[in-house]
Structure formats: structure tokens, C-alpha cells
Amino acid sequence: MAKILVLYYSAYGHIERMAYAVAEGAKSTGADVVVKRVPELVPEDVAKASHYKIDQVAPIATVNELADYDAIIFGSGTRYGTVALQLRNFIDQTGSLWAQGKLVGKVGSAFTSSATQHGGQESTILGLIPTLMHLGMVVVGLPYAFEGQMGLDEIKGGSPYGASTITGGDGSRQPSQVELEAARYQGAHVAKIAAKLAS
């Protein structure tokens, strides 16, 4: 049984919702799945004034525990075409894991969100991939076998690099059904590959 960590940062709740869909997909394979988040770096009064979703229940992860999992699926909203500082800061603390090769051969995957349809979703995931490869991880995306990312019937996130959602400029759009299905598919896909590698 693969042990999967869904590790995310979510300011307004969109990525949080996607994270639980990813976890649901991974669990459907029989994997042991944990959902955790990285620490918030914004002072609480600023977060409240900015209407951050501060009632998230996922526990805070620690850097050293990353070595305990067969796969880590990272989630973060897009900030100027790359992952949010909170997730980047967390990943930048993995130097000792890198030096010891603790993440070599583990599966790494990513999902994201942006305010607009072309707001940097692909660049965010593509920008994270070199980091995962430096850590020695095996990168897994969202293959076109998930046909929900095809077609022009509706505006939707998703690419072969990973699941994504579009939030709207004011954050009012929540992940659509097809975007949540993409997240579930990615979670299951990663878990299956992680189980094969772990065996």
C-alpha cells in the first residue's frame, strides 16, 4: 500500500478543496493518504483583513516527514506564474533531505489554481518540476487519459502537467465538477504509480 502526502498551500480555499479531491482519488486505490498544509507566513491580522480562509483543518506538515511518504502531491495557487511563497519557503527547507537522498525515487506531482484562464497555471507546475527532479523525484502529471481536460464545452483548468482550477478575479468561482474529477484522477494515478515503485 502506497503512503501518499497531499501537501498544499491555500489562501482562499480553492486549493484546499482541490487537495481533498486529490486525496479522495488516491484513497480510492487503497493508498494510505494524509492531507497536510504548509505554514502560513502572512501575519494573522493581515490574513483576516485580506479575507484568507483561516479555518482550514488540515494539520501543518514538517519538512522532515516528507521522507516518510512514497509520493508527495503538491498544491499551490499561482503567484505571478509560480508557486506561492509559502509552499516555496517550505520546499526550500528540504536541503538536508536532498543531501541525504531521502526523496530519491519517490513520486512528485502538482496541482494549482489561478484567477484567470491563462494566469500561469502551466508555468506554475512546470516551474516546480525542476525542483522535484533536483530532489530525485519521479514526476507524474495528469495524462490525457483523463478526457475531462479535452473539449471546448466549458471553461476549465487542467493540463497534462496537473489538475488546476480557475478562481475568477474575485475568487468567487469554486472548482467545477470536471476540475475536481481531474484532481481525483491525478490522485489515483499518482497512488498507482507510487505503489508500483514502492513494491
Side-chain angles (χ1 to χ4, degrees):
M1 178 189 307
K3 193 172 179 186
I4 313 291
L5 172 63
V6 181
L7 180 66
Y8 76 90
Y9 172 73
S10 184
Y12 298 103
H14 302 87
I15 288 294
E16 177 191 32
R17 189 161 175 211
M18 293 284 282
Y20 282 102
V22 169
E24 186 180 325
K27 285 178 186 176
S28 74
T29 70
D32 178 13
V33 184
V34 176
V35 178
K36 292 195 176 185
R37 58 195 169 104
V38 300
E40 179 59 79
L41 302 177
V42 173
E44 188 174 350
D45 59 330
V46 175
K48 285 181 178 176
S50 301
H51 308 290
Y52 280 25
K53 188 174 188 296
I54 57 175
D55 62 346
Q56 298 176 52
V57 297
I60 303 292
T62 62
V63 172
N64 287 335
E65 76 179 274
L66 299 186
D68 298 336
Y69 299 94
D70 300 308
I72 305 166
I73 308 172
F74 298 88
S76 170
T78 296
R79 298 293 185 273
Y80 301 110
T82 191
V83 297
L85 172 65
Q86 288 84 345
L87 181 61
R88 185 75 241 180
N89 175 269
F90 187 90
I91 293 170
D92 284 348
Q93 297 175 57
T94 60
S96 63
L97 298 179
W98 170 82
Q100 299 172 68
K102 295 280 190 174
L103 300 180
V104 173
K106 297 178 185 289
V107 175
S109 192
F111 60 99
T112 191
S113 67
S114 65
T116 62
Q117 194 171 3
H118 304 288
Q121 293 184 1
E122 290 186 356
S123 64
T124 295
I125 296 174
L126 289 171
L128 185 57
I129 288 173
T131 300
L132 303 184
M133 297 185 85
H134 274 261
L135 291 167
M137 302 184 86
V138 177
V139 177
V140 173
L142 177 67
Y144 278 118
F146 174 69
E147 295 180 5
Q149 65 184 301
M150 303 288 284
L152 302 172
D153 51 320
E154 63 180 278
I155 294 172
K156 54 191 167 188
S159 75
Y161 314 118
S164 61
T165 185
I166 302 161
T167 68
D170 61 358
S172 62
R173 183 182 184 273
Q174 292 299 310
S176 69
Q177 194 58 44
V178 72
E179 290 167 341
L180 293 171
E181 287 171 10
R184 290 184 196 99
Y185 189 102
Q186 185 173 346
H189 184 57
V190 168
K192 290 172 189 173
I193 292 172
K196 289 177 182 177
L197 291 175
S199 68

